């Protein structure tokens, strides 16, 4: 049995339950249209998803209803039993095909009920009898009267060992084992005709009976009576646990988990005639509460002939195993079923909620049968493209298309057809999978025609093996013919050349563009052989980086080659040689003579440091250049270094007129004749005399200078200068006296230390020998007396081995150290035993 949720082609073969618009947004109105009047119906605009789906039961049912009118039905897991107004009962398979037929009564069958085994069937009709049919061994049904005599029986339901039936007075429950009637539940609203608003019954389980009558619902529980309470009472009793009223008349009941499915009869006012008329029956799902109920969903069904039907003409039956609900009306039998995940996805797709549908399919991919994740995803992409949300559509391609290269290429062409290749370009796969090169080339051409920056970004981000590099290079070259100075295209062409390993061409472009990556490119690909003739360009671009790179890779590009290439650019030559000299004073020694001119021309502040640090610089050449350019300080240094201090001093005095510098120079040379020259030059210049008086006190005797000063010459600050000379003299005296005291104290301290050291004991053992006879210093026989002489120089002698002192020199000396006379051996340590 199939249900709603089919395609339009399938709808032509089936009789579907279609949706009609509701005036109440909380309801889902479902129309079951007869085959002969099927037409498109306006979709439900509510955002709430229906709980059930519907299908008309056809086959044998259609055959029966062409001749008879359905009055009731019961459902077993193996078959169906349909009762008619003409007193017949038809047994049908679950597809609706007729298997057996019984002529039960001459009047309308009100209800049929089966036990769980399907071997017993209870039937009630308008003749007021409750018949029990038992199935015998010949597969025939044998009838017997179970109850009669209390008027027409309107409904009967069998569950386990309990049978419940309803007549005009109320509901009876019979225990089939004890054959005892358990209880009688009277009907509430006696104002309603029981024949027009019959009782509806259903068992939720073996002990819970649900009763619907008019607009009242009671949920009854069958319980065991305590033994002490039995007496003559039945062993069971019924307790009403829930009771509430509805806003409609009840035509049928069925349980759905902890909820209820109610088939309700509705009347409404006709807009045309303004009179009360029968509306479509509704199938509601409600949540019972202790004293009320909450509506979960509501569907209005357009069954055949609903305009002429009454409340008594509808019945609701259900199959527990499959959660199937059968709506029976005189001319129609409709089957309702809980919507599964496929139906849920159908509804989401119908509402164009593709994102949710895709997520639902992914979660339930093992249970869904009708839908495929890929199909939903493709529909989602198409929907986004129809909405012109091209970026989101392209983004979804990554997840939906996965590694399917055929689908990727198909979708790319769809984007191309609508001129949106740019939108999908960021999301094209670049590894696993890789599409045909033509796809990537097509996208690159699109960018080249309209967006150079976007094209450059793709070239930078995409691996070069995605497309035919030669084709793209040629295309870029063609574009550069129209715009040869376009920096974006040039930069991109350089990247293409780099990938193609045409590093020379790439390097030329980078240098032309002065691109920051040029040095990185050289290092990365070891392009030093390619830059031998491009050193000037590199230096023009960034001399500091270029020089560092050249010096770091001296083995690959020699110093001589660099200097040669820079011959026509001396300012750059100087930068290179200067950096070389700072790294190593000797590597570029052959160019030191050249560097003199370069420093003089381009870097005067560093000339003097260069002259001082270089040991390979020709001094005569340097002096010539400095004299030509009148570089006084450099000339003074060179003259001094060449030994011509007097000329250097003369230049300081005559050219610089700087007495302090002259004095400093004289101090450095520490030459008396130089001081004499300085005094002679300064003697007729009062400011110079003042400078000399203030500075030469520690190098030249000041009286010599003072005696040479001419009578009457005015010398600025003479008094202060004389005071300073005296202070310097006093300071020298104090320093000398202080040094003398320190020297005497140190000498005395050292003398005492030496005396203490010499007075210490000396170890004499068997290893020591006499320095004269070279025999052991100690005798082998310790009992014999012996005499040993130990000098402070630590030389040891037997006393007998030393010469006898005479009257002129009573003090003995170490023979070894005697040449030192009063040296370390001048004193004696004499040991006697």
């Amino acid at each position: 049995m199939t249900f709603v949720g089919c395609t339009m082609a399938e709808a032509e073969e089936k009789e579907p339950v279609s949706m009609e618009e509701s005036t109440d947004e909380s309801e889902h109105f479902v129309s079951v249209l007869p085959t002969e009047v099927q037409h498109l119906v306006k979709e439900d605009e509510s955002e709430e998803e229906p709980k059930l789906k519907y299908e008309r039961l056809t086959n044998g049912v259609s055959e029966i209803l062409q001749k008879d009118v359905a009055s009731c039905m019961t459902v077993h897991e193996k078959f169906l039993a349909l009762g008619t107004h003409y007193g017949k009962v038809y047994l049908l398979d679950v597809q609706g095909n007729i298997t057996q037929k019984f002529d039960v009564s001459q009047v309308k069958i009100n209800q049929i009920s089966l036990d769980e085994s399907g071997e017993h069937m209870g039937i009630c009709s308008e003749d007021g009898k409750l018949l029990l049919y038992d199935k015998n061994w010949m597969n025939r049904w044998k009838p017997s009267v179970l109850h009669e005599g209390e008027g027409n029986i309107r409904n009967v339901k069998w569950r386990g060992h309990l049978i419940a039936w309803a007549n005009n007075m109320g509901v009876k429950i019979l225990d089939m084992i004890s054959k005892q009637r358990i209880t009688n539940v009277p009907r509430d609203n006696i104002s309603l005709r029981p024949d027009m608003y019959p009782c509806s019954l259903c068992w939720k389980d073996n002990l819970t009976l649900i009763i619907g009558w008019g607009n009242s619902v009671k949920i009854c529980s069958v319980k065991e009576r305590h033994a002490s309470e039995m007496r003559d009472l039945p062993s069971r009793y019924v307790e009403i646990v829930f009771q509430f009223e509805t806003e409609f008349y009840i035509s049928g009941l069925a349980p759905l988990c902890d909820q209820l499915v109610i088939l309700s009869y509705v009347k409404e006012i006709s807009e045309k005639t303004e009179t009360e008329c029968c509306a479509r029956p509704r199938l509601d799902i409600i949540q019972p509460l202790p004293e009320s109920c909450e509506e979960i969903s509501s569907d209005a069904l357009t069954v055949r002939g609903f305009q002429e039907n009454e409340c008594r003409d509808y019945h609701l039956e259900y199959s527990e195993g499959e959660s199937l609900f059968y709506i029976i009306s005189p001319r129609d039998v409709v089957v309702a079923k809980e919507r599964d995940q496929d139906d849920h996805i159908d509804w989401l797709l119908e509402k164009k909620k593709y994102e949710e549908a895709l997520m639902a399919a992914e979660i339930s991919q093992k249970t869904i049968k009708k839908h495929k994740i890929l199909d939903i995803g493709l529909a989602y992409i198409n929907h986004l493209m129809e909405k012109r949300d091209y970026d989101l559509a392209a983004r979804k391609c990554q997840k939906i298309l996965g590694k399917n290269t055929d689908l990727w290429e198909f979708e790319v062409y769809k984007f191309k057809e609508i001129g949106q290749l740019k939108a999908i370009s960021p999301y094209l796969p670049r590894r696993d999978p890789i599409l045909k090169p033509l796809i990537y080339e097509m996208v690159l051409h699109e960018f080249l025609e309209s967006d150079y920056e976007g094209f450059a970004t793709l070239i930078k981000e995409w691996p070069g093996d995605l497309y035919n590099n030669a084709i793209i290079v040629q295309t870029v070259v063609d574009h550069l013919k129209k715009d040869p100075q376009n920096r974006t295209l040039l930069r991109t062409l350089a990247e293409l050349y780099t990938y193609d390993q045409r590093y020379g061409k790439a390097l030329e472009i980078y240098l032309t563009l002065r691109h920051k990556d040029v040095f990185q490119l050289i290092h990365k690909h070891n392009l030093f052989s390619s830059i031998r003739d491009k050193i000037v360009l590199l230096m023009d671009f960034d001399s500091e980086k270029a020089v560092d790179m050249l010096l770091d890779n001296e083995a690959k590009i020699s110093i001589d080659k660099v200097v040669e290439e820079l011959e026509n650019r001396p300012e750059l030559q100087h930068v290179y040689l200067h950096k070389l000299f700072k790294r190593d004073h000797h590597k570029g020694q052959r160019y030191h003579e050249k560097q003199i001119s370069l420093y003089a021309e381009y870097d005067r502040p560093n000339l003097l440091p260069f002259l001082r640090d270089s040991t390979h610089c020709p001094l005569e050449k340097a002096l010539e250049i400095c004299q030509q350019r009148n570089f006084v300080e450099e000339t003074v240094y060179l003259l001094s270094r060449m030994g011509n201090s007097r000329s250097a001093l003369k230049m300081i005095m005559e050219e610089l007129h700087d007495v302090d510098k002259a004095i400093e120079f004289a101090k450095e040379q520490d030459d008396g004749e130089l001081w004499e020259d300085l005094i002679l030059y300064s003697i007729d210049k009062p400011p110079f005399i003042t400078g000399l008086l203030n500075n030469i006190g520690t190098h030249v005797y000041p009286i010599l200078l003072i005696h040479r000063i001419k009578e009457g010459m005015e010398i600025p600050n003479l008094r202060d200068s004389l005071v300073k000379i005296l202070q310097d003299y006093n300071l020298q005296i104090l320093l000398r006296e202080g040094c003398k005291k320190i020297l005497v104290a140190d000498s005395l301290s050292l003398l005492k230390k030496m005396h203490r050291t010499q007075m210490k004991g000396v170890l004499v053992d068997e290893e020591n020998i006499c320095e004269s006879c070279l025999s052991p210093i100690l005798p082998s026989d310790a009992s014999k007396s012996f005499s040993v002489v130990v000098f402070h120089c630590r030389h040891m002698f037997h006393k007998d081995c030393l010469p006898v002192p005479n009257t002129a020199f009573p003090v003995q000396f170490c023979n070894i150290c005697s040449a030192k006379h009063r040296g370390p051996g001048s004193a004696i340590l004499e040991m006697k035993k």
Side-chain angles (χ1 to χ4, degrees):
M1 185 177 295
T2 55
F3 290 85
V4 174
C6 54
T7 64
M8 292 302 295
E10 294 170 330
E12 293 177 0
E13 300 176 0
K14 303 173 182 176
E15 296 186 85
V17 177
S18 56
M19 305 296 292
E20 283 192 358
E21 185 177 6
S22 168
T23 56
D24 183 352
E25 291 185 0
S26 67
E27 297 180 352
H28 303 284
F29 289 90
V30 182
S31 301
V32 181
L33 303 179
T35 306
E36 61 269 21
V37 292
Q38 281 189 11
H39 56 83
L40 292 175
V41 182
K42 185 177 181 181
E43 292 186 355
D44 177 22
E45 295 179 358
S46 171
E47 288 300 316
E48 188 175 350
E49 184 179 358
K51 302 293 183 183
L52 302 171
K53 58 181 179 179
Y54 302 85
E55 185 185 46
R56 179 168 281 111
L57 192 62
T58 56
N59 299 336
V61 174
S62 299
E63 180 184 335
I64 296 168
L65 297 184
Q66 286 177 2
K67 305 172 184 178
D68 205 339
V69 177
S71 62
C72 61
M73 178 186 276
T74 190
V75 180
H76 190 269
E77 62 179 7
K78 299 178 181 178
F79 61 91
L80 310 174
L82 177 68
T84 71
H85 276 252
Y86 294 164
K88 295 178 175 57
V89 174
Y90 295 88
L91 298 185
L92 314 169
D93 62 20
V94 291
Q95 302 298 329
N97 300 306
I98 301 171
T99 59
Q100 281 185 279
K101 172 187 173 184
F102 304 95
D103 289 318
V104 176
S105 175
Q106 299 297 318
V107 293
K108 172 187 173 185
I109 304 296
N110 286 334
Q111 187 56 279
I112 305 170
S113 186
L114 295 161
D115 70 345
E116 292 180 3
S117 66
E119 303 294 325
H120 304 87
M121 180 166 55
I123 300 175
C124 61
S125 61
E126 288 291 330
D127 59 11
K129 294 180 181 179
L130 175 59
L131 300 177
L132 176 63
Y133 280 78
D134 295 318
K135 201 173 187 180
N136 60 25
W137 64 277
M138 296 182 67
N139 206 28
R140 295 182 180 273
W141 293 86
K142 180 183 177 182
S144 62
V145 177
L146 189 63
H147 175 75
E148 63 179 339
E150 291 186 6
N152 289 338
I153 297 176
R154 307 290 180 187
N155 205 339
V156 60
K157 290 294 178 183
W158 191 328
R159 183 68 178 251
H161 303 300
L162 300 175
I163 296 179
W165 70 88
N167 56 21
N168 294 345
M169 304 303 294
V171 177
K172 281 76 175 171
I173 301 177
L174 177 68
D175 189 332
M176 289 294 293
I177 296 177
S178 64
K179 303 297 182 182
Q180 287 182 315
R181 188 183 299 180
I182 295 173
T183 190
N184 176 45
V185 182
R187 69 186 174 99
D188 293 330
N189 193 343
I190 58 175
S191 64
L192 296 174
R193 288 173 53 183
D195 60 329
M196 298 298 293
Y197 298 93
C199 178
S200 297
L201 299 173
C202 74
W203 288 97
K204 181 179 180 182
D205 52 49
N206 288 349
L207 298 175
T208 305
L209 177 67
I210 304 172
I211 303 172
W213 210 331
N215 62 348
S216 173
V217 176
K218 293 178 181 177
I219 300 177
C220 307
S221 178
V222 179
K223 299 185 176 181
E224 294 287 339
R225 197 184 299 276
H226 195 273
S228 62
E229 299 176 350
M230 284 188 183
R231 302 173 192 164
D232 296 329
L233 300 174
S235 61
R236 296 181 179 183
Y237 69 98
V238 172
E239 179 182 316
I240 298 174
V241 293
F242 284 95
Q243 181 172 348
F244 55 87
E245 292 186 353
T246 64
E247 298 178 354
F248 41 77
Y249 297 114
I250 299 168
S251 294
L253 293 166
L256 178 62
C257 297
D258 62 338
Q259 299 171 341
L260 281 180
V261 179
I262 298 180
L263 179 63
S264 55
Y265 172 72
V266 181
K267 285 189 175 183
E268 62 184 7
I269 304 298
S270 173
E271 296 180 359
K272 296 179 180 179
T273 63
E274 297 184 357
T275 59
E276 192 175 62
C277 62
C278 297
R280 299 176 181 86
R282 297 195 322 188
L283 194 65
D284 301 328
I285 300 177
I286 66 168
Q287 179 67 56
L289 301 173
E291 296 181 358
S292 62
C293 62
E294 177 186 354
E295 184 180 279
I296 305 302
S297 71
S298 181
D299 299 333
L301 311 178
T302 304
V303 297
R304 293 188 180 101
F306 72 88
Q307 297 88 345
E308 290 81 28
N309 294 340
E310 297 291 342
C311 183
R312 64 183 177 183
D313 296 321
Y314 296 108
H315 296 273
L316 178 64
E317 296 296 330
Y318 74 99
S319 171
E320 291 185 41
E322 300 180 70
S323 293
L324 298 176
F325 302 92
Y326 294 82
I327 299 95
I328 300 97
S329 68
R331 297 293 179 186
D332 231 343
V333 178
V334 176
V335 187
K337 185 178 182 180
E338 282 191 278
R339 295 168 63 85
D340 57 18
Q341 196 68 359
D342 277 307
D343 300 313
H344 173 59
I345 293 170
D346 272 329
W347 183 82
L348 292 172
L349 293 174
E350 181 184 337
K351 295 296 179 183
K352 299 188 183 302
K353 297 182 178 182
Y354 292 95
E355 181 80 27
E356 295 175 38
L358 191 59
M359 187 180 301
E362 289 171 348
I363 293 172
S364 309
Q365 58 182 317
K366 294 182 179 179
T367 58
I368 57 176
K369 300 175 181 178
K370 178 181 176 182
H371 294 94
K372 294 181 179 178
I373 294 175
L374 181 58
D375 293 339
I376 298 172
L378 293 174
Y380 186 22
I381 293 172
N382 290 336
H383 171 69
L384 292 171
M385 293 178 73
E386 289 171 4
K387 286 175 58 180
R388 298 187 178 182
D389 193 348
Y390 302 117
D391 182 72
L392 182 57
R395 219 175 329 134
K396 291 299 177 183
C397 285
Q398 283 187 311
K399 178 181 179 182
I400 294 167
L401 304 182
K403 298 181 180 181
N404 192 321
T405 55
D406 293 336
L407 282 178
W408 264 110
E409 291 169 5
F410 179 76
E411 291 298 324
V412 171
Y413 278 109
K414 284 170 61 177
F415 276 85
K416 175 179 173 56
E417 289 172 5
I418 58 175
Q420 289 296 327
L421 281 175
K422 288 184 180 180
I424 200 171
S425 63
Y427 309 106
L428 288 177
R430 305 171 189 180
R431 283 285 180 270
D432 192 25
I434 295 178
L435 309 182
K436 293 177 182 176
L438 180 62
I439 298 295
Y440 302 100
E441 292 164 14
M442 188 167 63
V443 175
L444 290 173
H445 280 294
E446 179 79 10
F447 274 92
L448 259 179
E449 295 300 323
S450 57
D451 184 0
Y452 286 163
E453 289 296 335
F455 173 77
T457 300
L458 288 184
I459 294 297
K460 186 178 290 291
E461 293 178 352
W462 283 0
D465 57 356
L466 294 180
Y467 47 86
N468 188 317
N469 199 63
I471 293 176
I472 301 302
V473 166
Q474 187 57 51
T475 308
V476 175
V477 170
D478 292 341
H479 278 263
L480 278 170
K481 291 177 182 178
K482 305 172 188 176
D483 187 6
Q485 300 303 318
N486 190 291
R487 296 181 63 83
T488 301
L489 285 181
L490 286 169
R491 185 176 65 250
T492 309
L493 182 60
E495 291 177 5
L496 290 168
Y497 280 142
T498 300
Y499 179 77
D500 212 21
Q501 297 184 1
R502 296 157 75 178
Y503 301 120
K505 287 184 173 293
L507 192 60
E508 287 181 12
I509 296 175
Y510 278 133
L511 289 172
T512 302
L513 295 174
R514 303 175 69 84
H515 195 275
K516 61 182 179 61
D517 292 340
V518 64
F519 296 101
Q520 181 183 351
L521 180 72
I522 294 169
H523 281 289
K524 183 176 180 180
H525 300 290
N526 195 23
L527 303 181
F528 295 97
S529 60
S530 300
I531 64 170
R532 295 173 66 86
D533 57 347
K534 298 179 179 63
I535 294 174
V536 174
L537 289 175
L538 285 168
M539 293 284 286
D540 278 336
F541 173 36
D542 189 327
S543 60
E544 285 295 321
K545 284 187 177 180
V547 169
D548 286 336
M549 181 188 70
L550 292 168
L551 293 177
D552 291 340
N553 296 273
E554 181 187 330
K556 298 173 182 177
I557 301 181
S558 66
I559 297 172
D560 295 339
K561 178 61 179 176
V562 176
V563 175
E564 178 187 344
E565 287 295 316
L566 297 175
E567 192 63 39
N568 295 327
R569 295 291 300 276
E571 74 279 10
L572 298 179
Q573 199 178 54
H574 163 69
V575 172
Y576 174 77
L577 290 172
H578 172 65
K579 199 71 172 283
L580 174 64
F581 181 75
K582 286 179 69 175
R583 287 198 179 191
D584 190 321
H585 291 350
H586 306 289
K587 277 190 176 181
Q589 64 185 37
R590 62 178 295 188
Y591 300 108
H592 284 196
E593 181 177 348
K594 177 190 284 289
Q595 281 186 270
I596 300 170
S597 299
L598 293 175
Y599 277 111
E601 182 69 25
Y602 302 107
D603 191 8
R604 162 84 186 277
N606 281 313
L607 174 57
L608 187 56
F610 170 74
L611 296 173
R612 285 175 176 162
D613 295 337
S614 173
T615 57
H616 308 287
C617 174
L619 299 181
E620 295 81 2
K621 179 66 175 179
L623 180 61
E624 179 185 347
I625 293 173
C626 291
Q627 287 177 338
Q628 288 175 355
R629 293 177 177 267
N630 198 27
F631 291 170
V632 178
E633 291 187 21
E634 291 81 355
T635 303
V636 167
Y637 169 75
L638 290 169
L639 288 172
S640 172
R641 187 171 170 184
M642 294 169 71
N644 196 350
S645 300
R646 302 186 73 175
S647 298
L649 180 64
K650 182 178 180 182
M651 179 168 281
I652 294 173
M653 301 293 286
E654 293 180 350
E655 298 292 336
L656 297 180
H657 306 289
D658 188 342
V659 66
D660 294 327
K661 196 170 188 67
I663 293 170
E664 187 66 28
F665 180 76
K667 288 180 179 179
E668 289 176 358
Q669 302 301 317
D670 195 22
D671 185 347
E673 293 183 358
L674 211 59
W675 281 109
E676 183 66 23
D677 290 343
L678 179 57
I679 293 172
L680 289 175
Y681 182 83
S682 304
I683 202 65
D684 59 346
K685 300 176 180 62
F688 277 42
I689 293 175
T690 301
L692 287 172
L693 289 173
N694 289 334
N695 290 281
I696 68 171
T698 56
H699 295 271
V700 179
Y701 190 50
I703 299 300
L704 296 176
L705 175 61
I706 294 171
H707 284 165
R708 294 189 183 185
I709 298 173
K710 296 179 181 179
E711 290 288 338
M713 179 180 289
E714 292 186 8
I715 300 172
N717 301 316
L718 178 60
R719 187 190 65 177
D720 296 337
S721 298
L722 293 174
V723 169
K724 186 175 185 304
I725 289 173
L726 293 173
Q727 289 175 341
D728 290 344
Y729 179 77
N730 289 332
L731 180 61
Q732 288 182 26
I733 296 300
L734 290 173
L735 286 172
R736 287 177 181 176
E737 290 179 353
C739 290
K740 181 179 178 182
K741 289 181 180 179
I742 293 171
L743 182 61
V744 171
D746 287 348
S747 299
L748 181 59
S749 175
L750 291 172
L751 180 62
K752 290 179 178 179
K753 183 178 180 181
M754 183 184 73
H755 183 262
R756 284 195 305 271
T757 302
Q758 290 181 340
M759 292 302 294
K760 288 181 180 179
V762 178
L763 175 65
V764 179
D765 57 20
E766 293 81 359
E767 295 182 359
N768 297 113
I769 61 173
C770 174
E771 297 292 341
S772 179
C773 67
L774 302 179
S775 61
I777 197 73
L778 298 177
S780 57
D781 187 0
S783 60
K784 293 181 180 181
S785 62
F786 63 93
S787 182
V788 176
V789 177
V790 180
F791 292 92
H792 288 299
C793 62
R794 300 299 189 263
H795 291 136
M796 302 178 186
F797 299 88
H798 293 126
K799 187 173 183 180
D800 297 338
C801 295
L802 289 174
V804 178
N806 53 36
T807 306
F809 299 98
V811 179
Q812 286 184 318
F813 294 93
C814 171
N815 291 341
I816 296 173
C817 301
S818 60
K820 301 178 180 178
H821 301 291
R822 305 283 303 172
S826 60
I828 288 180
L829 291 175
E830 186 172 341
M831 299 178 62
K832 294 183 179 180
K833 184 176 180 182

